[in-house]
Each structure stands twice: as structure tokens, then as C-alpha cells.
mmCIF file of all heavy atoms in Angstrom:
data_model
loop_
_atom_site.group_PDB
_atom_site.id
_atom_site.type_symbol
_atom_site.label_atom_id
_atom_site.label_comp_id
_atom_site.label_asym_id
_atom_site.label_seq_id
_atom_site.Cartn_x
_atom_site.Cartn_y
_atom_site.Cartn_z
ATOM 1 N N GLN A 1174 -36.021 -18.679 -27.172
ATOM 2 C CA GLN A 1174 -34.787 -18.684 -27.947
ATOM 3 C C GLN A 1174 -33.605 -18.378 -27.039
ATOM 4 O O GLN A 1174 -33.730 -17.657 -26.067
ATOM 5 C CB GLN A 1174 -34.857 -17.657 -29.073
ATOM 6 C CG GLN A 1174 -35.846 -17.996 -30.165
ATOM 7 C CD GLN A 1174 -35.802 -16.990 -31.285
ATOM 8 O OE1 GLN A 1174 -36.212 -15.853 -31.078
ATOM 9 N NE2 GLN A 1174 -35.325 -17.419 -32.448
ATOM 10 N N VAL A 1175 -32.476 -18.908 -27.417
ATOM 11 C CA VAL A 1175 -31.261 -18.685 -26.655
ATOM 12 C C VAL A 1175 -30.795 -17.255 -26.862
ATOM 13 O O VAL A 1175 -30.643 -16.791 -28.001
ATOM 14 C CB VAL A 1175 -30.176 -19.673 -27.081
ATOM 15 C CG1 VAL A 1175 -28.853 -19.340 -26.417
ATOM 16 C CG2 VAL A 1175 -30.601 -21.092 -26.741
ATOM 17 N N GLN A 1176 -30.548 -16.583 -25.768
ATOM 18 C CA GLN A 1176 -30.155 -15.188 -25.863
ATOM 19 C C GLN A 1176 -29.392 -14.766 -24.618
ATOM 20 O O GLN A 1176 -29.688 -15.204 -23.509
ATOM 21 C CB GLN A 1176 -31.394 -14.302 -26.038
ATOM 22 C CG GLN A 1176 -31.104 -12.843 -26.265
ATOM 23 C CD GLN A 1176 -32.364 -12.039 -26.520
ATOM 24 O OE1 GLN A 1176 -33.405 -12.583 -26.877
ATOM 25 N NE2 GLN A 1176 -32.277 -10.733 -26.340
ATOM 26 N N LEU A 1177 -28.411 -13.905 -24.825
ATOM 27 C CA LEU A 1177 -27.757 -13.189 -23.755
ATOM 28 C C LEU A 1177 -28.047 -11.710 -23.937
ATOM 29 O O LEU A 1177 -27.963 -11.196 -25.061
ATOM 30 C CB LEU A 1177 -26.245 -13.404 -23.769
ATOM 31 C CG LEU A 1177 -25.716 -14.775 -23.371
ATOM 32 C CD1 LEU A 1177 -24.201 -14.807 -23.552
ATOM 33 C CD2 LEU A 1177 -26.080 -15.102 -21.933
ATOM 34 N N ALA A 1178 -28.361 -11.051 -22.862
ATOM 35 C CA ALA A 1178 -28.714 -9.641 -22.937
ATOM 36 C C ALA A 1178 -27.992 -8.867 -21.852
ATOM 37 O O ALA A 1178 -28.175 -9.142 -20.661
ATOM 38 C CB ALA A 1178 -30.225 -9.457 -22.812
ATOM 39 N N GLU A 1179 -27.192 -7.903 -22.267
ATOM 40 C CA GLU A 1179 -26.516 -7.023 -21.330
ATOM 41 C C GLU A 1179 -27.427 -5.864 -20.957
ATOM 42 O O GLU A 1179 -28.212 -5.391 -21.777
ATOM 43 C CB GLU A 1179 -25.220 -6.473 -21.928
ATOM 44 C CG GLU A 1179 -24.197 -7.528 -22.344
ATOM 45 C CD GLU A 1179 -24.323 -7.925 -23.797
ATOM 46 O OE1 GLU A 1179 -25.373 -7.635 -24.411
ATOM 47 O OE2 GLU A 1179 -23.371 -8.529 -24.338
ATOM 48 N N SER A 1180 -27.276 -5.400 -19.750
ATOM 49 C CA SER A 1180 -28.008 -4.231 -19.296
ATOM 50 C C SER A 1180 -27.191 -3.528 -18.224
ATOM 51 O O SER A 1180 -26.212 -4.069 -17.708
ATOM 52 C CB SER A 1180 -29.395 -4.600 -18.770
ATOM 53 O OG SER A 1180 -29.305 -5.457 -17.647
ATOM 54 N N GLY A 1181 -27.604 -2.326 -17.894
ATOM 55 C CA GLY A 1181 -26.956 -1.580 -16.836
ATOM 56 C C GLY A 1181 -25.933 -0.564 -17.294
ATOM 57 O O GLY A 1181 -25.320 0.110 -16.455
ATOM 58 N N GLY A 1182 -25.742 -0.449 -18.585
ATOM 59 C CA GLY A 1182 -24.809 0.531 -19.095
ATOM 60 C C GLY A 1182 -25.423 1.914 -19.159
ATOM 61 O O GLY A 1182 -26.532 2.161 -18.680
ATOM 62 N N GLY A 1183 -24.687 2.818 -19.758
ATOM 63 C CA GLY A 1183 -25.175 4.170 -19.899
ATOM 64 C C GLY A 1183 -24.063 5.175 -19.735
ATOM 65 O O GLY A 1183 -22.873 4.856 -19.847
ATOM 66 N N LEU A 1184 -24.454 6.394 -19.463
ATOM 67 C CA LEU A 1184 -23.527 7.499 -19.299
ATOM 68 C C LEU A 1184 -23.256 7.729 -17.821
ATOM 69 O O LEU A 1184 -24.189 7.913 -17.031
ATOM 70 C CB LEU A 1184 -24.103 8.771 -19.932
ATOM 71 C CG LEU A 1184 -23.295 10.050 -19.769
ATOM 72 C CD1 LEU A 1184 -21.952 9.928 -20.476
ATOM 73 C CD2 LEU A 1184 -24.079 11.235 -20.312
ATOM 74 N N VAL A 1185 -21.988 7.712 -17.458
ATOM 75 C CA VAL A 1185 -21.583 7.958 -16.085
ATOM 76 C C VAL A 1185 -20.429 8.942 -16.067
ATOM 77 O O VAL A 1185 -19.737 9.131 -17.069
ATOM 78 C CB VAL A 1185 -21.178 6.666 -15.350
ATOM 79 C CG1 VAL A 1185 -22.362 5.721 -15.223
ATOM 80 C CG2 VAL A 1185 -20.031 5.982 -16.081
ATOM 81 N N GLN A 1186 -20.220 9.527 -14.917
ATOM 82 C CA GLN A 1186 -19.111 10.455 -14.746
ATOM 83 C C GLN A 1186 -17.882 9.734 -14.232
ATOM 84 O O GLN A 1186 -17.985 8.683 -13.592
ATOM 85 C CB GLN A 1186 -19.504 11.568 -13.781
ATOM 86 C CG GLN A 1186 -20.615 12.470 -14.293
ATOM 87 C CD GLN A 1186 -20.943 13.581 -13.328
ATOM 88 O OE1 GLN A 1186 -20.719 13.455 -12.127
ATOM 89 N NE2 GLN A 1186 -21.478 14.673 -13.846
ATOM 90 N N PRO A 1187 -16.707 10.270 -14.502
ATOM 91 C CA PRO A 1187 -15.489 9.650 -13.973
ATOM 92 C C PRO A 1187 -15.554 9.493 -12.464
ATOM 93 O O PRO A 1187 -16.028 10.378 -11.751
ATOM 94 C CB PRO A 1187 -14.389 10.625 -14.389
ATOM 95 C CG PRO A 1187 -14.927 11.301 -15.603
ATOM 96 C CD PRO A 1187 -16.402 11.433 -15.367
ATOM 97 N N GLY A 1188 -15.085 8.346 -11.988
ATOM 98 C CA GLY A 1188 -15.088 8.054 -10.573
ATOM 99 C C GLY A 1188 -16.303 7.306 -10.081
ATOM 100 O O GLY A 1188 -16.281 6.761 -8.975
ATOM 101 N N GLU A 1189 -17.344 7.268 -10.858
ATOM 102 C CA GLU A 1189 -18.556 6.566 -10.458
ATOM 103 C C GLU A 1189 -18.427 5.067 -10.704
ATOM 104 O O GLU A 1189 -17.489 4.596 -11.338
ATOM 105 C CB GLU A 1189 -19.761 7.129 -11.202
ATOM 106 C CG GLU A 1189 -20.094 8.561 -10.828
ATOM 107 C CD GLU A 1189 -21.333 9.081 -11.518
ATOM 108 O OE1 GLU A 1189 -21.739 8.496 -12.551
ATOM 109 O OE2 GLU A 1189 -21.916 10.064 -11.027
ATOM 110 N N SER A 1190 -19.395 4.330 -10.188
ATOM 111 C CA SER A 1190 -19.427 2.885 -10.334
ATOM 112 C C SER A 1190 -20.624 2.467 -11.160
ATOM 113 O O SER A 1190 -21.614 3.188 -11.266
ATOM 114 C CB SER A 1190 -19.489 2.209 -8.962
ATOM 115 O OG SER A 1190 -18.332 2.482 -8.200
ATOM 116 N N LEU A 1191 -20.517 1.284 -11.706
ATOM 117 C CA LEU A 1191 -21.564 0.748 -12.558
ATOM 118 C C LEU A 1191 -21.591 -0.764 -12.406
ATOM 119 O O LEU A 1191 -20.540 -1.389 -12.244
ATOM 120 C CB LEU A 1191 -21.281 1.129 -14.007
ATOM 121 C CG LEU A 1191 -22.429 1.198 -15.017
ATOM 122 C CD1 LEU A 1191 -23.459 2.231 -14.593
ATOM 123 C CD2 LEU A 1191 -21.866 1.536 -16.387
ATOM 124 N N ARG A 1192 -22.764 -1.321 -12.446
ATOM 125 C CA ARG A 1192 -22.891 -2.775 -12.454
ATOM 126 C C ARG A 1192 -23.619 -3.207 -13.711
ATOM 127 O O ARG A 1192 -24.792 -2.866 -13.917
ATOM 128 C CB ARG A 1192 -23.625 -3.304 -11.221
ATOM 129 C CG ARG A 1192 -23.571 -4.839 -11.128
ATOM 130 C CD ARG A 1192 -24.219 -5.398 -9.887
ATOM 131 N NE ARG A 1192 -25.673 -5.355 -9.952
ATOM 132 C CZ ARG A 1192 -26.480 -6.062 -9.180
ATOM 133 N NH1 ARG A 1192 -25.964 -6.882 -8.261
ATOM 134 N NH2 ARG A 1192 -27.792 -5.947 -9.288
ATOM 135 N N LEU A 1193 -22.917 -3.935 -14.536
ATOM 136 C CA LEU A 1193 -23.498 -4.492 -15.740
ATOM 137 C C LEU A 1193 -24.067 -5.869 -15.452
ATOM 138 O O LEU A 1193 -23.510 -6.630 -14.667
ATOM 139 C CB LEU A 1193 -22.455 -4.594 -16.852
ATOM 140 C CG LEU A 1193 -21.721 -3.307 -17.234
ATOM 141 C CD1 LEU A 1193 -20.739 -3.590 -18.361
ATOM 142 C CD2 LEU A 1193 -22.706 -2.218 -17.627
ATOM 143 N N SER A 1194 -25.165 -6.183 -16.108
ATOM 144 C CA SER A 1194 -25.793 -7.485 -15.971
ATOM 145 C C SER A 1194 -25.784 -8.201 -17.303
ATOM 146 O O SER A 1194 -25.904 -7.580 -18.360
ATOM 147 C CB SER A 1194 -27.240 -7.345 -15.482
ATOM 148 O OG SER A 1194 -27.297 -6.749 -14.206
ATOM 149 N N CYS A 1195 -25.646 -9.503 -17.232
ATOM 150 C CA CYS A 1195 -25.731 -10.363 -18.401
ATOM 151 C C CYS A 1195 -26.744 -11.441 -18.081
ATOM 152 O O CYS A 1195 -26.459 -12.367 -17.310
ATOM 153 C CB CYS A 1195 -24.360 -10.964 -18.717
ATOM 154 S SG CYS A 1195 -24.348 -12.175 -20.054
ATOM 155 N N ALA A 1196 -27.916 -11.308 -18.639
ATOM 156 C CA ALA A 1196 -29.012 -12.212 -18.336
ATOM 157 C C ALA A 1196 -29.202 -13.225 -19.458
ATOM 158 O O ALA A 1196 -29.283 -12.855 -20.632
ATOM 159 C CB ALA A 1196 -30.309 -11.432 -18.124
ATOM 160 N N GLY A 1197 -29.265 -14.472 -19.085
ATOM 161 C CA GLY A 1197 -29.542 -15.518 -20.046
ATOM 162 C C GLY A 1197 -31.030 -15.773 -20.149
ATOM 163 O O GLY A 1197 -31.751 -15.743 -19.157
ATOM 164 N N SER A 1198 -31.479 -16.025 -21.340
ATOM 165 C CA SER A 1198 -32.862 -16.419 -21.563
ATOM 166 C C SER A 1198 -32.887 -17.550 -22.576
ATOM 167 O O SER A 1198 -32.085 -17.580 -23.504
ATOM 168 C CB SER A 1198 -33.720 -15.243 -22.038
ATOM 169 O OG SER A 1198 -33.234 -14.722 -23.266
ATOM 170 N N GLY A 1199 -33.796 -18.472 -22.373
ATOM 171 C CA GLY A 1199 -33.887 -19.611 -23.256
ATOM 172 C C GLY A 1199 -32.915 -20.737 -22.948
ATOM 173 O O GLY A 1199 -32.980 -21.784 -23.589
ATOM 174 N N PHE A 1200 -32.024 -20.509 -22.007
ATOM 175 C CA PHE A 1200 -31.106 -21.556 -21.585
ATOM 176 C C PHE A 1200 -30.566 -21.225 -20.207
ATOM 177 O O PHE A 1200 -30.592 -20.069 -19.773
ATOM 178 C CB PHE A 1200 -29.970 -21.771 -22.590
ATOM 179 C CG PHE A 1200 -28.932 -20.686 -22.604
ATOM 180 C CD1 PHE A 1200 -27.622 -20.962 -22.230
ATOM 181 C CD2 PHE A 1200 -29.242 -19.403 -23.012
ATOM 182 C CE1 PHE A 1200 -26.648 -19.972 -22.268
ATOM 183 C CE2 PHE A 1200 -28.286 -18.404 -23.048
ATOM 184 C CZ PHE A 1200 -26.980 -18.697 -22.678
ATOM 185 N N ASN A 1201 -30.071 -22.238 -19.555
ATOM 186 C CA ASN A 1201 -29.545 -22.118 -18.204
ATOM 187 C C ASN A 1201 -28.057 -21.791 -18.281
ATOM 188 O O ASN A 1201 -27.287 -22.540 -18.884
ATOM 189 C CB ASN A 1201 -29.783 -23.415 -17.439
ATOM 190 C CG ASN A 1201 -29.430 -23.319 -15.972
ATOM 191 O OD1 ASN A 1201 -28.894 -22.316 -15.506
ATOM 192 N ND2 ASN A 1201 -29.728 -24.372 -15.229
ATOM 193 N N LEU A 1202 -27.656 -20.709 -17.653
ATOM 194 C CA LEU A 1202 -26.261 -20.293 -17.678
ATOM 195 C C LEU A 1202 -25.355 -21.122 -16.786
ATOM 196 O O LEU A 1202 -24.132 -21.057 -16.932
ATOM 197 C CB LEU A 1202 -26.137 -18.826 -17.274
ATOM 198 C CG LEU A 1202 -26.632 -17.770 -18.257
ATOM 199 C CD1 LEU A 1202 -26.394 -16.380 -17.673
ATOM 200 C CD2 LEU A 1202 -25.943 -17.912 -19.600
ATOM 201 N N GLU A 1203 -25.924 -21.855 -15.891
ATOM 202 C CA GLU A 1203 -25.124 -22.532 -14.874
ATOM 203 C C GLU A 1203 -23.996 -23.396 -15.439
ATOM 204 O O GLU A 1203 -22.884 -23.365 -14.904
ATOM 205 C CB GLU A 1203 -26.020 -23.354 -13.960
ATOM 206 C CG GLU A 1203 -25.291 -23.952 -12.762
ATOM 207 C CD GLU A 1203 -26.226 -24.621 -11.791
ATOM 208 O OE1 GLU A 1203 -27.438 -24.688 -12.061
ATOM 209 O OE2 GLU A 1203 -25.739 -25.084 -10.739
ATOM 210 N N PRO A 1204 -24.213 -24.164 -16.506
ATOM 211 C CA PRO A 1204 -23.122 -24.995 -17.028
ATOM 212 C C PRO A 1204 -22.110 -24.242 -17.875
ATOM 213 O O PRO A 1204 -21.181 -24.868 -18.396
ATOM 214 C CB PRO A 1204 -23.849 -26.044 -17.881
ATOM 215 C CG PRO A 1204 -25.307 -25.864 -17.630
ATOM 216 C CD PRO A 1204 -25.473 -24.457 -17.222
ATOM 217 N N TYR A 1205 -22.260 -22.955 -18.036
ATOM 218 C CA TYR A 1205 -21.418 -22.183 -18.935
ATOM 219 C C TYR A 1205 -20.414 -21.326 -18.192
ATOM 220 O O TYR A 1205 -20.711 -20.731 -17.156
ATOM 221 C CB TYR A 1205 -22.281 -21.275 -19.812
ATOM 222 C CG TYR A 1205 -23.104 -22.008 -20.835
ATOM 223 C CD1 TYR A 1205 -24.317 -22.578 -20.490
ATOM 224 C CD2 TYR A 1205 -22.660 -22.126 -22.146
ATOM 225 C CE1 TYR A 1205 -25.073 -23.262 -21.427
ATOM 226 C CE2 TYR A 1205 -23.409 -22.799 -23.086
ATOM 227 C CZ TYR A 1205 -24.616 -23.364 -22.722
ATOM 228 O OH TYR A 1205 -25.363 -24.029 -23.664
ATOM 229 N N GLY A 1206 -19.224 -21.286 -18.755
ATOM 230 C CA GLY A 1206 -18.298 -20.250 -18.355
ATOM 231 C C GLY A 1206 -18.702 -18.940 -19.004
ATOM 232 O O GLY A 1206 -19.234 -18.921 -20.119
ATOM 233 N N ILE A 1207 -18.451 -17.847 -18.316
ATOM 234 C CA ILE A 1207 -18.892 -16.539 -18.779
ATOM 235 C C ILE A 1207 -17.694 -15.596 -18.870
ATOM 236 O O ILE A 1207 -16.845 -15.574 -17.980
ATOM 237 C CB ILE A 1207 -19.946 -15.928 -17.848
ATOM 238 C CG1 ILE A 1207 -21.129 -16.885 -17.677
ATOM 239 C CG2 ILE A 1207 -20.421 -14.579 -18.384
ATOM 240 C CD1 ILE A 1207 -21.901 -17.159 -18.947
ATOM 241 N N GLY A 1208 -17.675 -14.834 -19.931
ATOM 242 C CA GLY A 1208 -16.654 -13.820 -20.091
ATOM 243 C C GLY A 1208 -17.260 -12.457 -20.344
ATOM 244 O O GLY A 1208 -18.310 -12.344 -20.987
ATOM 245 N N TRP A 1209 -16.611 -11.441 -19.816
ATOM 246 C CA TRP A 1209 -16.946 -10.061 -20.114
ATOM 247 C C TRP A 1209 -15.834 -9.460 -20.961
ATOM 248 O O TRP A 1209 -14.651 -9.598 -20.636
ATOM 249 C CB TRP A 1209 -17.121 -9.236 -18.843
ATOM 250 C CG TRP A 1209 -18.454 -9.377 -18.193
ATOM 251 C CD1 TRP A 1209 -18.775 -10.153 -17.128
ATOM 252 C CD2 TRP A 1209 -19.656 -8.693 -18.555
ATOM 253 N NE1 TRP A 1209 -20.092 -10.011 -16.789
ATOM 254 C CE2 TRP A 1209 -20.659 -9.110 -17.662
ATOM 255 C CE3 TRP A 1209 -19.984 -7.768 -19.542
ATOM 256 C CZ2 TRP A 1209 -21.973 -8.642 -17.721
ATOM 257 C CZ3 TRP A 1209 -21.291 -7.302 -19.616
ATOM 258 C CH2 TRP A 1209 -22.262 -7.743 -18.713
ATOM 259 N N PHE A 1210 -16.228 -8.786 -22.009
ATOM 260 C CA PHE A 1210 -15.305 -8.179 -22.950
ATOM 261 C C PHE A 1210 -15.739 -6.754 -23.220
ATOM 262 O O PHE A 1210 -16.867 -6.363 -22.924
ATOM 263 C CB PHE A 1210 -15.275 -8.965 -24.270
ATOM 264 C CG PHE A 1210 -14.869 -10.398 -24.125
ATOM 265 C CD1 PHE A 1210 -15.775 -11.356 -23.709
ATOM 266 C CD2 PHE A 1210 -13.571 -10.791 -24.404
ATOM 267 C CE1 PHE A 1210 -15.407 -12.680 -23.574
ATOM 268 C CE2 PHE A 1210 -13.184 -12.112 -24.277
ATOM 269 C CZ PHE A 1210 -14.097 -13.051 -23.859
ATOM 270 N N ARG A 1211 -14.839 -6.000 -23.792
ATOM 271 C CA ARG A 1211 -15.202 -4.664 -24.242
ATOM 272 C C ARG A 1211 -14.437 -4.328 -25.509
ATOM 273 O O ARG A 1211 -13.376 -4.880 -25.778
ATOM 274 C CB ARG A 1211 -14.927 -3.606 -23.166
ATOM 275 C CG ARG A 1211 -13.457 -3.319 -22.910
ATOM 276 C CD ARG A 1211 -13.293 -2.311 -21.783
ATOM 277 N NE ARG A 1211 -11.893 -2.043 -21.498
ATOM 278 C CZ ARG A 1211 -11.465 -1.354 -20.456
ATOM 279 N NH1 ARG A 1211 -12.344 -0.855 -19.581
ATOM 280 N NH2 ARG A 1211 -10.165 -1.149 -20.270
#
């Protein structure tokens, strides 16, 4: 099935860094434009 799944979040302290991932499953992301929102 077509799905996007975010990962890599959580609790961090001010000043730290984080890398979020957006993994596609069930379809190829290559032809798609991608946006990150909050």
C-alpha cells in the first residue's frame, strides 16, 4: 500500500540537532516533489 512514514523525532534539548526521515513504501518517491511541514 502507498504510505509515507516519518521517523526520527522525539524529545531533544535546545541546541541539539535532529534528522527526520520520510520513507516511502508501496511507491517510488523519485517522481514526486516532497514537502516538509509542521
Side-chain angles (χ1 to χ4, degrees):
Q1174 292 184 291
V1175 173
Q1176 185 176 340
L1177 289 176
E1179 301 93 344
S1180 62
L1184 176 64
V1185 296
Q1186 295 182 335
E1189 294 183 341
S1190 297
L1191 204 61
R1192 189 177 75 162
L1193 304 181
S1194 298
C1195 175
S1198 61
F1200 73 116
N1201 187 354
L1202 289 181
E1203 187 173 3
Y1205 290 83
I1207 305 296
W1209 279 100
F1210 301 81
R1211 71 183 179 190

